[in-house]
Amino acid sequence: MLDWPPRLPLPTVIVPHSVSAGPTWLATDRLHPAPSARELDWLNEQGSLTRRLTALGAGRFAVEPLCEGWQLLRDDECAALGAPSGSEGWAREVYLHGAGQPWVFARSVATRVALEREPFALAALGNRSLGHLLFSDPAFAREPIEACRYPAELLPVAVREAGLWGRRSLFRRAGLGVLVAEVFLPALWRADAARR
Ligand SMILES: C=C(O[C@@H]1C=C(C(=O)O)C=C[C@H]1O)C(=O)O
């Protein structure tokens, strides 16, 4: 029997998986569905998260560096930094631990061009909190906070989960922009609920 029309093999659709594109960030009052009041309270925190986590953990706060180095920044990061797509920058990824548990995953980035122009000790922080540096220097101005459901594939494997709330904001000092993104992990919500 003639096989006509020929049965073509199912097309293999290769969906390019680009982590370089990154998440879509929105102002916290434009998120849909809207976060709960408790989630918004954390997402909109204007003060130092380091300070708030330290208070929630009754003083038990620690920064655990996960990875740091030069890399090509994601498109959403370049856009927020006002840098050309594919710019190189320093990336610092850490857990912020409260009461001995990872409560927040944070990724902070700045372009190489900006760091060469306006030196800043981002690469030399180790387990000291970046928040102390940013909030103790009045020359830093913070831009509005944006949030998203942070893509699971951008999280460390140990805490990888879909749908976690992330927020970011840009801290500016002269020609330097430090973009700080923080993702709230389930242990933080449990600790916060237990405190209320
Ligand atoms: C920006 C702050 O600094 C925190 C400290 C970080 C670090 O040490 O890498 C990263 C993100 C922060 O949440 C803050 O305390 O608000």
Side-chain angles (χ1 to χ4, degrees):
M1 208 169 53
L2 266 178
D3 187 15
W4 187 262
R7 274 168 297 178
L8 297 170
L10 282 175
T12 313
V13 180
I14 299 172
V15 180
H17 169 78
S18 163
V19 291
S20 84
T24 303
W25 299 89
L26 293 172
T28 55
D29 60 356
R30 292 189 52 213
L31 298 166
H32 188 79
S36 69
R38 191 160 72 94
E39 289 165 338
L40 274 175
D41 184 45
W42 279 93
L43 289 170
N44 285 326
E45 172 62 57
Q46 299 297 316
S48 165
L49 206 57
T50 298
R51 210 171 303 150
R52 184 160 179 183
L53 296 174
T54 305
L56 182 62
R60 288 181 65 205
F61 172 83
V63 175
E64 180 191 355
L66 298 173
C67 83
E68 296 183 90
W70 297 110
Q71 52 179 250
L72 297 184
L73 303 181
R74 298 193 316 248
D75 287 351
D76 63 309
E77 295 172 328
C78 292
L81 291 162
S85 178
S87 291
E88 193 187 356
W90 187 266
R92 162 179 165 88
E93 296 191 349
V94 304
Y95 283 140
L96 306 177
H97 289 263
Q101 289 189 305
W103 279 356
V104 170
F105 165 74
R107 172 175 163 93
S108 305
V109 295
T111 63
R112 185 192 275 272
V113 168
L115 287 167
E116 282 171 358
R117 204 168 39 205
E118 175 88 6
F120 179 69
L122 188 59
L125 276 171
N127 62 4
R128 286 172 301 147
S129 166
L130 171 62
H132 286 311
L133 267 194
L134 295 174
F135 284 91
S136 64
D137 183 346
F140 271 107
R142 181 184 215 165
E143 298 206 343
I145 292 170
E146 297 174 304
C148 71
R149 297 275 190 184
Y150 203 77
E153 68 270 19
L154 298 179
L155 289 166
V157 174
V159 296
R160 191 163 288 173
E161 194 174 312
L164 299 181
W165 284 116
R167 66 177 211 158
R168 73 170 185 182
S169 62
L170 182 66
F171 292 80
R172 265 192 199 289
R173 190 187 72 187
L176 173 69
V178 182
L179 183 66
V180 178
E182 294 140 333
V183 182
F184 299 103
L185 303 176
L188 181 267
W189 299 118
R190 286 195 293 273
D192 184 56
R195 260 289 282 273
R196 289 182 187 233

